[in-house]
Amino acid sequence: MEDRYFQTADRYVESLYETDADLERVNEAIRQHGMPEISVAPGYGRLLTMLVRLSGANRLLEIGALGGYSGICLARGLNGGGKLLSLELKEEFASVAKENLTAAGFGDVVEYRIGEALDSLERLGEEGAAFDFFFIDADKGNYVNYLDWAIRLAAPGALIVGDNALLHGKTMDPEAKGNSVAVVREFNKRIATDPRLESTILPAYDGLCIARVK
């Protein structure tokens, strides 16, 4: 009953909003290229835009570009002069994302680094980079590592947002096993209890963690 309630609530909320042409273009490109259809939920995409805008963040780091859906949502929140750095494992995915952000008018604010995200994060650390906003939506087995790096690279007051906190219910199911499930459970616990963070976890769609670095 509870699962049906949340699914119905999600559908109801989305029915209130008009179709977004830029994001529909992303979804179509993802289908045409045979990419996984796992972009951030529309409601959380809108929330990303709001969080970037409200926080005034202008140095954004995205871990996992896919087709550019979340990238567009993040870039929309920039108040002028900001930049988005997106880390993507696959060059072909980054190419699709770049095309979609360019079509949406954000081609000049985004940069992509291709390869293993942990390698890119290591280089960013060596470069002394710092960011105001992090969006984590990549391989779940490294979520705790990505959180560690986000805290390390965070400017004071930076926001850290992580998608798929519920893993389609697996993180709540005591019978669910596997490395990704265990890591995301630990990620959620760290978000909730790490003394360096103040946070909340939203249970709609597939769950979203939001934390502010103190």
Side-chain angles (χ1 to χ4, degrees), residues 150-163:
I151 294 172
R152 178 175 173 180
L153 298 176
L159 294 182
I160 302 172
V161 181
D163 197 17

Side-chain angles (χ1 to χ4, degrees), residues 56-106:
N58 59 16
R59 296 170 295 176
L60 316 181
L61 181 65
E62 173 185 49
I63 304 177
L66 193 61
Y69 193 112
S70 57
I72 290 173
C73 296
L74 292 164
R76 283 176 172 173
L78 291 169
N79 294 315
K83 295 289 184 180
L84 167 64
L85 177 60
S86 184
L87 310 183
E88 174 53 53
L89 176 65
K90 298 184 178 182
E91 186 170 359
E92 59 270 30
F93 286 10
S95 178
V96 172
K98 177 68 172 179
E99 290 177 7
N100 286 323
L101 265 83
T102 300
F106 300 113

